[in-house]
Amino acid sequence: MISGQLAKASSDLHIIWGYVAVAALGLITISSLPWIRKMAYGVFMICHIIGLVLFLAGLALHVPEAIPYCVAGGCLYLADLSIRAARTRITTASLQVVPGCDSTMVTVPGLREGWRAGQYIVLRIPKLGGLGGIEGHEFTIASAPEADGLTLVIKNVRSSNQTIFLTNFATSRLVIGVIVS
C-alpha cells in the first residue's frame, strides 16, 4: 500500500523537480570530493555548472515560493562571472626554467599594473588542451607593478600537472598564450 502511494506521489511534476534538485546537489557533492577534483578538474567544473543550473531550476519548480530566491541566487552567480570575465586578461607569457632550483619563471610582459607583490593570480594555459586548459592555478606574484611586467616563480610540485607541463616544456625560452584572472 505504501509503495503505491509513493509511486503516485512521485508522478507529480513538482515532486519530480524536487528529485532533480536533490540529484543536482548529489552531483555537486560527489564531484567535490578531493580526489575527483584533483584527478579531473574539468569534470568537477562542468558538474558544478550543470548541478547549479539543475538545482536552481529544480528548487524553483518544486517550491514556487522559492522562485525569487533562486532568481536572486542565479543573478548573483551571473554577476560574479561577469566581474571575473571583466578582470580576466588574455595575453602571452614567456616561460623559462630557472637552473638549479627546480622552478619555472613565468613573465607576462603585457601586464604592468593592477597588482602588488604578494597578491595572487589565477593562471590558465590553454596550450594544455582539453579540460586541462581551463583548469586554473593560483600563484603568488613575485614582482612589483613598476617592473617589466608580471613575474611568477613556480616551484615544480609533482602533484600539479600544470607545473609539470611548465617544467617539461620550458627547457628553453617558450612563449605561449595564457589567461590571467
Side-chain angles (χ1 to χ4, degrees):
M1 181 95 166
I2 293 176
S3 64
Q5 291 175 344
L6 179 63
K8 183 176 183 251
S10 294
S11 65
D12 289 343
L13 195 55
H14 78 283
I15 299 296
I16 292 171
W17 282 112
Y19 291 151
V20 168
V22 170
L25 286 178
L27 177 68
I28 291 171
T29 302
I30 290 170
S31 67
S32 294
L33 294 172
W35 61 273
I36 292 177
R37 189 176 61 238
K38 223 177 229 186
M39 191 171 56
Y41 183 81
V43 172
F44 159 79
M45 285 298 296
I46 290 168
C47 286
H48 269 68
I49 293 167
I50 291 170
L52 175 69
V53 170
L54 288 176
F55 172 70
L56 292 176
L59 181 61
L61 294 169
H62 176 65
V63 182
E65 294 81 11
I67 290 174
Y69 302 103
C70 293
V71 170
C75 288
L76 287 172
Y77 181 64
L78 289 175
D80 176 61
L81 289 178
S82 299
I83 291 168
R84 287 181 193 209
R87 292 179 45 201
T88 298
R89 298 178 189 146
I90 300 172
T91 186
T92 57
S94 171
L95 282 65
Q96 186 172 9
V97 171
V98 179
C101 57
D102 202 22
S103 298
T104 303
M105 184 165 55
V106 179
T107 305
V108 186
L111 299 178
R112 298 183 185 278
E113 61 186 359
W115 77 88
R116 291 186 322 265
Q119 288 181 318
Y120 73 93
I121 63 162
V122 177
L123 183 70
R124 291 175 178 80
I125 302 178
K127 189 167 178 89
L128 288 174
L131 296 176
I134 65 168
E135 181 176 1
H137 289 280
E138 295 178 351
F139 295 110
T140 303
I141 299 169
S143 62
E146 300 83 33
D148 294 330
L150 181 129
T151 301
L152 307 169
V153 179
I154 302 170
K155 182 163 176 51
N156 187 7
V157 178
R158 294 291 173 210
S159 65
S160 169
N161 292 336
Q162 208 156 347
T163 306
I164 291 169
F165 168 84
L166 294 175
T167 302
N168 290 341
F169 291 95
T171 52
S172 60
R173 200 163 199 69
L174 174 68
V175 177
I176 61 169
V178 294
I179 302 170
V180 180
S181 16

